[in-house]
Every structure is written in structure tokens, then in C-alpha cells.
Coordinates of all heavy atoms in Angstrom, one line a residue:
M1 N 0.8 -1.2 0.0 CA 0.0 0.0 0.0 C 0.9 1.3 0.0 O 1.8 1.4 0.8 CB -0.9 0.0 1.3 CG -2.1 0.8 1.2 SD -3.5 0.0 0.4 CE -4.8 1.1 0.9
V2 N 0.6 2.1 -0.9 CA 1.4 3.4 -1.0 C 0.6 4.5 -0.4 O -0.6 4.7 -0.7 CB 1.7 3.7 -2.5 CG1 2.4 5.1 -2.6 CG2 2.5 2.6 -3.1
E3 N 1.2 5.2 0.6 CA 0.5 6.3 1.2 C 0.7 7.6 0.5 O 1.8 8.1 0.4 CB 0.9 6.4 2.7 CG 0.0 7.3 3.5 CD 0.5 7.5 4.9 OE1 1.6 8.1 5.1 OE2 -0.1 6.9 5.8
V4 N -0.4 8.2 0.1 CA -0.4 9.5 -0.5 C -1.1 10.5 0.4 O -2.2 10.3 0.7 CB -1.1 9.5 -1.9 CG1 -1.1 10.9 -2.6 CG2 -0.4 8.5 -2.9
K5 N -0.3 11.5 0.8 CA -0.9 12.6 1.6 C -0.9 13.9 0.8 O 0.1 14.3 0.4 CB 0.0 12.8 2.8 CG -0.2 11.7 3.9 CD 0.5 12.2 5.2 CE 0.4 11.2 6.3 NZ 1.2 11.5 7.4
I6 N -2.1 14.4 0.7 CA -2.3 15.7 0.0 C -2.5 16.8 1.0 O -3.3 16.7 1.9 CB -3.5 15.6 -1.0 CG1 -3.3 14.4 -1.9 CG2 -3.7 16.9 -1.7 CD1 -4.5 14.1 -2.8
C7 N -1.7 17.8 0.9 CA -1.8 19.0 1.8 C -3.1 19.7 1.5 O -3.3 20.1 0.4 CB -0.6 19.9 1.6 SG -0.8 21.4 2.6
V8 N -3.9 19.8 2.5 CA -5.1 20.6 2.4 C -5.1 21.8 3.3 O -6.1 22.3 3.7 CB -6.4 19.8 2.6 CG1 -6.5 18.7 1.5 CG2 -6.4 19.1 4.0
G9 N -3.8 22.3 3.6 CA -3.7 23.5 4.3 C -4.2 24.7 3.5 O -4.5 24.5 2.3
S10 N -4.4 25.9 4.1 CA -5.1 26.9 3.3 C -4.4 27.4 2.1 O -5.0 27.6 1.0 CB -5.4 28.1 4.3 OG -4.2 28.4 4.9
S11 N -3.1 27.4 2.1 CA -2.4 27.9 0.9 C -2.5 26.9 -0.2 O -2.8 27.2 -1.4 CB -0.9 28.1 1.2 OG -0.2 28.4 0.1
C12 N -2.3 25.6 0.1 CA -2.4 24.6 -1.0 C -3.9 24.5 -1.4 O -4.2 24.2 -2.6 CB -1.9 23.2 -0.5 SG -0.1 23.2 -0.3
H13 N -4.8 24.7 -0.5 CA -6.2 24.7 -0.9 C -6.5 25.7 -2.0 O -7.1 25.4 -3.0 CB -7.1 25.0 0.4 CG -8.6 24.9 0.1 ND1 -9.2 23.7 0.2 CD2 -9.5 25.8 -0.3 CE1 -10.5 23.9 -0.1 NE2 -10.7 25.2 -0.4
L14 N -6.0 26.9 -1.8 CA -6.2 28.0 -2.7 C -5.5 27.6 -4.1 O -5.9 28.1 -5.1 CB -5.6 29.3 -2.2 CG -6.4 29.9 -1.1 CD1 -5.7 31.2 -0.6 CD2 -7.8 30.3 -1.5
K15 N -4.4 26.9 -4.0 CA -3.7 26.6 -5.2 C -4.2 25.3 -5.9 O -3.6 24.9 -6.9 CB -2.2 26.4 -4.9 CG -1.5 27.7 -4.5 CD 0.0 27.4 -4.3 CE 0.8 28.8 -4.2 NZ 2.2 28.6 -4.1
G16 N -5.3 24.8 -5.4 CA -5.9 23.7 -6.2 C -5.9 22.3 -5.5 O -6.2 21.3 -6.2
A17 N -5.6 22.3 -4.2 CA -5.6 21.0 -3.6 C -7.0 20.2 -3.8 O -6.9 19.0 -4.0 CB -5.3 21.1 -2.1
P18 N -8.1 20.9 -3.7 CA -9.4 20.1 -3.9 C -9.4 19.4 -5.2 O -9.9 18.3 -5.3 CB -10.5 21.2 -3.8 CG -9.8 22.3 -3.0 CD -8.4 22.3 -3.3
E19 N -8.9 20.1 -6.3 CA -8.9 19.5 -7.6 C -7.9 18.2 -7.6 O -8.2 17.2 -8.2 CB -8.4 20.5 -8.6 CG -8.6 20.1 -10.0 CD -7.8 21.0 -11.0 OE1 -7.4 22.1 -10.6 OE2 -7.6 20.5 -12.1
V20 N -6.8 18.4 -6.9 CA -5.8 17.3 -6.9 C -6.4 16.1 -6.1 O -6.3 14.9 -6.6 CB -4.5 17.7 -6.2 CG1 -3.6 16.6 -5.9 CG2 -3.8 18.8 -7.0
V21 N -7.2 16.4 -5.1 CA -7.8 15.3 -4.3 C -8.9 14.6 -5.2 O -8.9 13.3 -5.3 CB -8.5 15.8 -3.1 CG1 -9.4 14.8 -2.4 CG2 -7.5 16.4 -2.1
E22 N -9.7 15.4 -5.9 CA -10.7 14.8 -6.8 C -10.1 13.9 -7.9 O -10.6 12.9 -8.2 CB -11.6 15.9 -7.4 CG -12.6 16.5 -6.5 CD -13.4 15.4 -5.7 OE1 -13.9 14.5 -6.4 OE2 -13.5 15.5 -4.5
K23 N -9.0 14.4 -8.4 CA -8.3 13.7 -9.5 C -7.8 12.4 -9.0 O -7.9 11.4 -9.7 CB -7.2 14.6 -10.0 CG -6.8 14.6 -11.5 CD -7.8 15.0 -12.4 CE -7.6 14.3 -13.8 NZ -7.9 15.1 -14.9
F24 N -7.2 12.4 -7.9 CA -6.7 11.2 -7.3 C -7.9 10.2 -7.1 O -7.8 9.0 -7.4 CB -6.0 11.4 -5.9 CG -4.5 11.5 -6.0 CD1 -3.8 12.7 -6.0 CD2 -3.7 10.3 -6.2 CE1 -2.4 12.7 -6.1 CE2 -2.4 10.3 -6.3 CZ -1.7 11.6 -6.3
K25 N -8.9 10.7 -6.5 CA -10.1 9.8 -6.2 C -10.6 9.2 -7.5 O -10.9 8.0 -7.5 CB -11.2 10.6 -5.5 CG -11.0 10.8 -4.0 CD -12.2 11.5 -3.4 CE -12.0 11.8 -2.0 NZ -13.0 12.7 -1.5
S26 N -10.8 10.0 -8.5 CA -11.4 9.4 -9.7 C -10.5 8.5 -10.4 O -10.9 7.5 -11.0 CB -11.9 10.5 -10.7 OG -10.9 11.3 -11.2
L27 N -9.2 8.8 -10.4 CA -8.2 7.9 -11.1 C -8.0 6.6 -10.3 O -7.8 5.5 -10.9 CB -6.9 8.6 -11.3 CG -6.9 9.7 -12.4 CD1 -5.6 10.6 -12.3 CD2 -6.9 9.0 -13.8
I28 N -8.1 6.7 -9.0 CA -8.0 5.5 -8.2 C -9.1 4.5 -8.5 O -8.9 3.3 -8.7 CB -8.0 5.8 -6.7 CG1 -6.6 6.4 -6.3 CG2 -8.3 4.6 -5.8 CD1 -6.6 7.0 -4.9
K29 N -10.3 5.1 -8.7 CA -11.4 4.3 -9.1 C -11.3 3.7 -10.5 O -11.4 2.5 -10.7 CB -12.7 5.2 -9.1 CG -13.9 4.5 -8.4 CD -15.1 5.4 -8.4 CE -15.9 5.1 -7.2 NZ -16.8 6.2 -6.8
E30 N -10.9 4.6 -11.4 CA -10.8 4.2 -12.8 C -9.7 3.1 -13.0 O -9.9 2.2 -13.8 CB -10.4 5.5 -13.6 CG -10.5 5.4 -15.0 CD -10.0 6.8 -15.6 OE1 -10.5 7.9 -15.2 OE2 -9.1 6.7 -16.5
K31 N -8.6 3.3 -12.3 CA -7.5 2.3 -12.4 C -7.6 1.2 -11.4 O -6.7 0.4 -11.3 CB -6.2 3.0 -12.3 CG -5.9 4.1 -13.4 CD -4.6 4.8 -13.1 CE -4.4 5.9 -14.0 NZ -3.7 5.5 -15.3
E32 N -8.7 1.2 -10.6 CA -8.9 0.1 -9.6 C -7.7 0.0 -8.7 O -7.2 -1.1 -8.5 CB -9.2 -1.2 -10.3 CG -10.5 -1.1 -11.1 CD -10.9 -2.4 -11.8 OE1 -10.1 -3.3 -11.9 OE2 -12.0 -2.5 -12.3
L33 N -7.3 1.1 -8.1 CA -6.1 1.1 -7.2 C -6.5 1.3 -5.8 O -5.7 1.7 -4.9 CB -5.2 2.3 -7.6 CG -4.6 2.2 -9.0 CD1 -3.9 3.5 -9.4 CD2 -3.6 1.0 -9.1
E34 N -7.8 0.9 -5.4 CA -8.2 1.1 -4.1 C -7.4 0.3 -3.1 O -7.2 0.7 -1.9 CB -9.7 0.6 -3.9 CG -10.7 1.5 -4.6 CD -11.0 1.2 -6.0 OE1 -10.2 0.4 -6.6 OE2 -12.0 1.7 -6.6
D35 N -6.8 -0.8 -3.5 CA -6.0 -1.6 -2.6 C -4.5 -1.2 -2.7 O -3.7 -1.8 -2.0 CB -6.1 -3.1 -2.9 CG -7.5 -3.6 -2.6 OD1 -8.2 -3.0 -1.8 OD2 -8.0 -4.5 -3.3
T36 N -4.2 -0.3 -3.5 CA -2.8 0.1 -3.8 C -2.5 1.5 -3.2 O -1.4 1.6 -2.6 CB -2.5 0.2 -5.3 OG1 -2.9 -1.1 -5.9 CG2 -1.0 0.4 -5.6
I37 N -3.4 2.4 -3.3 CA -3.2 3.7 -2.8 C -4.0 4.1 -1.6 O -5.2 3.9 -1.7 CB -3.4 4.8 -4.0 CG1 -2.4 4.5 -5.1 CG2 -3.3 6.2 -3.4 CD1 -2.7 5.5 -6.3
N38 N -3.4 4.5 -0.6 CA -4.0 4.9 0.6 C -4.0 6.4 0.6 O -3.0 7.1 0.9 CB -3.3 4.3 1.8 CG -4.0 4.7 3.1 OD1 -5.1 5.2 3.2 ND2 -3.3 4.5 4.2
L39 N -5.1 7.0 0.2 CA -5.2 8.5 0.1 C -5.6 9.2 1.4 O -6.6 8.8 2.0 CB -6.3 8.8 -1.0 CG -6.3 10.2 -1.6 CD1 -5.0 10.5 -2.3 CD2 -7.5 10.4 -2.5
K40 N -4.7 10.2 1.7 CA -5.0 10.9 3.0 C -4.8 12.4 2.8 O -4.1 12.8 1.9 CB -4.0 10.4 4.1 CG -4.3 9.0 4.5 CD -3.4 8.8 5.7 CE -3.8 7.4 6.4 NZ -2.9 7.0 7.4
A41 N -5.4 13.1 3.6 CA -5.2 14.6 3.6 C -4.2 14.9 4.7 O -4.2 14.2 5.7 CB -6.5 15.3 3.8
S42 N -3.4 15.9 4.5 CA -2.5 16.3 5.6 C -2.7 17.8 5.9 O -3.2 18.6 5.0 CB -1.1 16.1 5.3 OG -0.5 17.1 4.5
F43 N -2.3 18.3 7.0 CA -2.2 19.7 7.3 C -1.0 20.3 6.6 O -0.3 19.5 5.9 CB -2.2 19.9 8.8 CG -3.4 19.6 9.5 CD1 -3.4 18.5 10.4 CD2 -4.6 20.2 9.2 CE1 -4.6 18.2 11.0 CE2 -5.8 19.8 9.8 CZ -5.8 18.8 10.7
C44 N -0.8 21.5 6.8 CA 0.3 22.2 6.1 C 1.6 21.4 6.2 O 2.0 21.0 7.2 CB 0.5 23.6 6.7 SG 1.8 24.5 5.9
Q45 N 2.3 21.3 5.0 CA 3.5 20.5 5.0 C 4.7 21.5 5.0 O 5.9 21.1 4.6 CB 3.6 19.6 3.7 CG 2.4 18.6 3.8 CD 2.4 17.6 2.6 OE1 3.3 17.7 1.7 NE2 1.5 16.7 2.5
N46 N 4.5 22.7 5.4 CA 5.6 23.7 5.6 C 6.3 24.0 4.3 O 7.6 24.2 4.3 CB 6.6 23.3 6.7 CG 5.8 23.1 8.0 OD1 5.0 23.9 8.4 ND2 6.1 22.0 8.6
N47 N 5.6 24.0 3.2 CA 6.3 24.3 1.9 C 5.3 25.1 1.0 O 5.2 24.8 -0.2 CB 6.7 23.0 1.3 CG 7.7 23.2 0.1 OD1 8.4 24.3 0.1 ND2 7.8 22.3 -0.8
C48 N 4.6 26.0 1.7 CA 3.4 26.6 1.0 C 3.7 27.3 -0.3 O 2.8 27.3 -1.2 CB 2.8 27.7 2.0 SG 2.4 27.0 3.6
T49 N 4.9 27.9 -0.5 CA 5.1 28.6 -1.7 C 5.2 27.7 -2.9 O 5.0 28.1 -4.0 CB 6.4 29.4 -1.6 OG1 7.4 28.5 -1.2 CG2 6.3 30.6 -0.7
A50 N 5.4 26.4 -2.7 CA 5.5 25.4 -3.8 C 4.3 24.5 -3.8 O 4.4 23.4 -4.3 CB 6.8 24.6 -3.6
G51 N 3.2 25.0 -3.3 CA 2.0 24.1 -3.3 C 1.4 23.9 -4.7 O 1.8 24.6 -5.6
V52 N 0.6 22.9 -5.0 CA 0.1 22.0 -4.0 C 1.2 21.0 -3.6 O 1.9 20.4 -4.5 CB -1.1 21.3 -4.5 CG1 -1.6 20.2 -3.6 CG2 -2.2 22.3 -4.9
N53 N 1.4 20.7 -2.4 CA 2.4 19.7 -2.0 C 1.7 18.4 -1.6 O 0.6 18.3 -1.0 CB 3.1 20.2 -0.7 CG 4.0 21.3 -1.0 OD1 5.0 21.1 -1.6 ND2 3.6 22.5 -0.5
I54 N 2.3 17.3 -2.1 CA 1.8 16.0 -1.7 C 3.1 15.1 -1.2 O 4.2 15.5 -1.6 CB 1.1 15.2 -2.8 CG1 2.0 14.8 -3.9 CG2 0.0 16.1 -3.4 CD1 1.4 13.9 -5.0
T55 N 2.8 14.1 -0.5 CA 3.9 13.2 -0.2 C 3.5 11.8 -0.6 O 2.3 11.4 -0.5 CB 4.4 13.1 1.3 OG1 3.3 12.6 2.1 CG2 4.8 14.5 1.8
I56 N 4.4 11.0 -1.2 CA 4.1 9.6 -1.5 C 5.1 8.8 -0.7 O 6.3 8.9 -0.9 CB 4.3 9.4 -3.0 CG1 3.4 10.3 -3.8 CG2 4.2 7.9 -3.4 CD1 3.5 10.2 -5.3
D57 N 4.6 8.0 0.2 CA 5.4 7.3 1.2 C 6.5 8.2 1.8 O 7.6 7.8 1.9 CB 6.0 6.1 0.5 CG 5.0 4.9 0.5 OD1 4.0 5.0 1.2 OD2 5.3 3.9 -0.2
G58 N 6.1 9.4 2.1 CA 7.1 10.3 2.7 C 7.9 11.1 1.8 O 8.6 12.0 2.3
T59 N 7.9 10.8 0.5 CA 8.7 11.6 -0.4 C 7.8 12.8 -0.9 O 6.8 12.6 -1.5 CB 9.1 10.8 -1.6 OG1 9.8 9.6 -1.1 CG2 10.0 11.6 -2.6
K60 N 8.4 14.0 -0.8 CA 7.6 15.2 -1.1 C 7.6 15.5 -2.6 O 8.7 15.4 -3.2 CB 8.2 16.4 -0.3 CG 7.3 17.6 -0.4 CD 7.8 18.7 0.5 CE 7.2 18.5 1.9 NZ 7.6 19.6 2.8
I61 N 6.5 15.8 -3.1 CA 6.4 16.3 -4.5 C 5.6 17.6 -4.4 O 4.6 17.7 -3.8 CB 5.6 15.3 -5.4 CG1 6.3 14.0 -5.4 CG2 5.6 15.9 -6.9 CD1 5.6 12.9 -6.3
S62 N 6.3 18.7 -5.0 CA 5.7 20.0 -4.9 C 5.1 20.4 -6.3 O 5.3 19.8 -7.3 CB 6.8 21.0 -4.5 OG 7.3 20.6 -3.3
N63 N 4.4 21.6 -6.2 CA 3.8 22.2 -7.4 C 2.9 21.2 -8.2 O 3.0 21.2 -9.4 CB 4.9 22.7 -8.3 CG 5.7 23.8 -7.7 OD1 5.1 24.8 -7.2 ND2 7.0 23.7 -7.7
V64 N 2.2 20.4 -7.5 CA 1.3 19.5 -8.2 C 0.0 20.1 -8.6 O -0.6 20.9 -7.8 CB 1.0 18.3 -7.2 CG1 0.0 17.3 -7.8 CG2 2.2 17.6 -6.8
S65 N -0.4 19.9 -9.8 CA -1.7 20.4 -10.2 C -2.6 19.2 -10.7 O -2.0 18.1 -10.9 CB -1.6 21.4 -11.4 OG -1.1 20.8 -12.5
G66 N -3.8 19.5 -10.8 CA -4.8 18.4 -11.1 C -4.4 17.6 -12.4 O -4.5 16.4 -12.4
N67 N -3.9 18.3 -13.4 CA -3.6 17.6 -14.6 C -2.3 16.8 -14.6 O -2.0 16.1 -15.6 CB -3.7 18.5 -15.9 CG -2.9 19.7 -15.7 OD1 -1.9 19.7 -14.9 ND2 -3.2 20.8 -16.5
E68 N -1.6 16.9 -13.5 CA -0.4 16.1 -13.4 C -0.6 14.8 -12.6 O 0.3 14.0 -12.5 CB 0.7 16.9 -12.6 CG 1.4 17.9 -13.5 CD 2.3 18.8 -12.6 OE1 1.7 19.5 -11.7 OE2 3.5 18.7 -12.8
V69 N -1.8 14.7 -12.0 CA -2.0 13.5 -11.1 C -1.8 12.2 -11.8 O -1.2 11.3 -11.3 CB -3.4 13.7 -10.4 CG1 -3.7 12.4 -9.7 CG2 -3.4 14.9 -9.5
E70 N -2.4 12.1 -13.0 CA -2.3 10.8 -13.7 C -0.8 10.4 -14.0 O -0.4 9.3 -13.8 CB -3.0 10.9 -15.0 CG -3.0 9.5 -15.7 CD -4.2 9.3 -16.7 OE1 -4.7 10.3 -17.2 OE2 -4.5 8.1 -16.9
K71 N 0.0 11.4 -14.3 CA 1.4 11.1 -14.6 C 2.1 10.7 -13.3 O 2.9 9.8 -13.3 CB 2.1 12.4 -15.1 CG 3.4 12.2 -15.7 CD 4.0 13.5 -16.3 CE 4.6 14.4 -15.2 NZ 4.9 15.7 -15.6
I72 N 1.7 11.3 -12.2 CA 2.3 11.0 -10.9 C 1.9 9.6 -10.5 O 2.8 8.8 -10.1 CB 1.9 12.0 -9.8 CG1 2.6 13.3 -10.1 CG2 2.2 11.5 -8.4 CD1 2.1 14.5 -9.2
I73 N 0.7 9.2 -10.7 CA 0.3 7.9 -10.4 C 1.0 6.8 -11.2 O 1.6 5.9 -10.7 CB -1.3 7.7 -10.6 CG1 -2.0 8.5 -9.5 CG2 -1.7 6.2 -10.5 CD1 -3.5 8.4 -9.6
D74 N 1.1 7.1 -12.5 CA 1.7 6.1 -13.5 C 3.2 6.0 -13.2 O 3.7 4.9 -13.1 CB 1.5 6.6 -14.9 CG 0.0 6.3 -15.3 OD1 -0.7 5.6 -14.6 OD2 -0.4 6.8 -16.4
Q75 N 3.9 7.2 -13.0 CA 5.3 7.1 -12.9 C 5.8 6.8 -11.5 O 6.6 6.0 -11.3 CB 5.9 8.4 -13.4 CG 5.7 8.6 -14.9 CD 6.3 9.9 -15.5 OE1 6.8 10.7 -14.7 NE2 6.2 10.1 -16.8
K76 N 5.3 7.6 -10.6 CA 5.8 7.5 -9.2 C 5.3 6.4 -8.4 O 5.9 5.8 -7.6 CB 5.6 8.8 -8.4 CG 6.0 10.1 -9.1 CD 7.4 10.4 -8.8 CE 7.9 11.7 -9.4 NZ 9.3 11.9 -9.5
I77 N 4.0 6.1 -8.6 CA 3.4 5.1 -7.8 C 3.4 3.7 -8.4 O 4.0 2.8 -7.9 CB 1.9 5.5 -7.4 CG1 2.0 6.8 -6.6 CG2 1.3 4.4 -6.6 CD1 0.7 7.4 -6.2
L78 N 2.8 3.6 -9.6 CA 2.8 2.3 -10.3 C 4.3 2.0 -10.7 O 4.7 0.8 -10.6 CB 1.9 2.4 -11.5 CG 0.4 2.6 -11.2 CD1 -0.4 2.6 -12.4 CD2 -0.1 1.6 -10.2
G79 N 5.1 2.9 -11.1 CA 6.5 2.7 -11.5 C 7.2 2.1 -10.3 O 8.0 1.1 -10.4
E80 N 7.0 2.6 -9.1 CA 7.7 2.2 -7.9 C 7.3 0.8 -7.6 O 8.1 -0.1 -7.2 CB 7.3 3.1 -6.8 CG 8.2 3.1 -5.6 CD 7.8 4.2 -4.6 OE1 8.0 5.4 -5.0 OE2 7.3 3.9 -3.5
I81 N 6.0 0.5 -7.7 CA 5.5 -0.9 -7.4 C 6.2 -1.9 -8.4 O 6.6 -3.0 -7.9 CB 4.0 -0.9 -7.5 CG1 3.4 -0.1 -6.3 CG2 3.5 -2.4 -7.5 CD1 2.0 0.2 -6.4
V82 N 6.3 -1.5 -9.6 CA 6.9 -2.4 -10.6 C 8.4 -2.7 -10.2 O 8.8 -3.8 -10.2 CB 6.8 -1.8 -12.0 CG1 7.7 -2.6 -13.0 CG2 5.4 -1.8 -12.5
N83 N 9.0 -1.6 -9.8 CA 10.4 -1.8 -9.4 C 10.6 -2.7 -8.1 O 11.5 -3.5 -8.0 CB 11.0 -0.4 -9.0 CG 11.4 0.4 -10.3 OD1 11.5 -0.2 -11.4 ND2 11.5 1.7 -10.2
E84 N 9.7 -2.5 -7.2 CA 9.7 -3.3 -6.0 C 9.5 -4.8 -6.3 O 10.1 -5.6 -5.6 CB 8.6 -2.8 -5.0 CG 9.0 -1.7 -4.1 CD 7.9 -1.2 -3.3 OE1 6.8 -1.9 -3.2 OE2 8.0 -0.1 -2.7
N85 N 8.8 -5.1 -7.3 CA 8.5 -6.5 -7.6 C 9.5 -7.1 -8.5 O 9.4 -8.3 -8.8 CB 7.1 -6.6 -8.2 CG 6.0 -6.3 -7.2 OD1 6.3 -6.3 -6.0 ND2 4.9 -5.9 -7.7
T86 N 10.5 -6.4 -9.0 CA 11.5 -7.0 -9.9 C 12.8 -7.2 -9.2 O 13.1 -6.7 -8.1 CB 11.7 -6.1 -11.2 OG1 11.9 -4.8 -10.8 CG2 10.5 -6.2 -12.1
Ligands
FES101 S1 -0.6 24.8 3.0 FE1 0.3 23.2 1.9 S2 2.4 23.3 2.5 FE2 1.5 24.9 3.6

């Protein structure tokens, strides 16, 4: 299970965190990743100027926008799982 934490602090909220959350939710459903991705919200990750911030298993990714979510899932999350299994 990969833990994804999306910052929903006020600065990231203004920069589009709700859209990032929605995108994750719909792609998790679409790609049937309910058992792979554990989606959580976090408070401010102390990097507001580079929001939206998310962490994937503790690794920070900054400047995330809704239209990048699919790329992040494919490359960072599914890519990592493939690597772990080889
Ligand atoms: S509000 Fe997201 S890092 Fe501060």
C-alpha cells in the first residue's frame, strides 16, 4: 500500500488541492487502485510557496496540479511498485 498525503492547508487549498484530491479519487477508481493507494489529507507541509504539496510514502512532490496527477500515479506510484517487484 502506497500512502499518498495531499496537503489541504489553506495555501495549498487555494492553489488547487481540492482538484488534486478529486483527480486522485477518480483515477484510483478508474484504475482500480483502491488496494494500492491509501489516500489521505494532511495539514500544512511547511512548503506553502511550492503548493500543492503531496507526499508519496514520505517523499515530497511539490507544485502538483490536477492535470499532473495521472502522470504521478503512473510514474511515481505504479512505477515504484513495478520496481519493488522486480
Ligand atoms: S498549506 Fe500546503 S504546504 Fe502549507
Side-chain angles (χ1 to χ4, degrees):
M1 200 87 169
V2 177
E3 188 183 73
V4 177
K5 281 190 183 172
I6 302 172
C7 177
V8 294
S10 48
S11 175
C12 289
H13 184 88
L14 289 176
K15 288 183 169 185
E19 191 194 341
V20 173
V21 171
E22 281 315 308
K23 211 64 205 217
F24 261 102
K25 280 189 185 163
S26 65
L27 285 166
I28 286 170
K29 223 181 214 160
E30 194 181 308
K31 294 174 186 276
E32 297 179 350
L33 295 171
E34 289 90 346
D35 294 332
T36 305
I37 296 178
N38 182 13
L39 194 64
K40 290 189 171 173
S42 86
F43 292 115
C44 179
Q45 298 181 2
N46 301 314
N47 196 22
C48 305
T49 49
V52 177
N53 290 290
I54 71 172
T55 65
I56 298 177
D57 274 349
T59 304
K60 189 171 275 182
I61 302 179
S62 302
N63 295 310
V64 175
S65 66
N67 53 22
E68 283 173 297
V69 170
E70 183 157 27
K71 195 177 81 193
I72 289 170
I73 290 179
D74 286 347
Q75 294 181 356
K76 306 272 183 197
I77 300 178
L78 298 180
E80 199 171 293
I81 289 167
V82 169
N83 284 339
E84 270 175 16
N85 292 338
T86 49

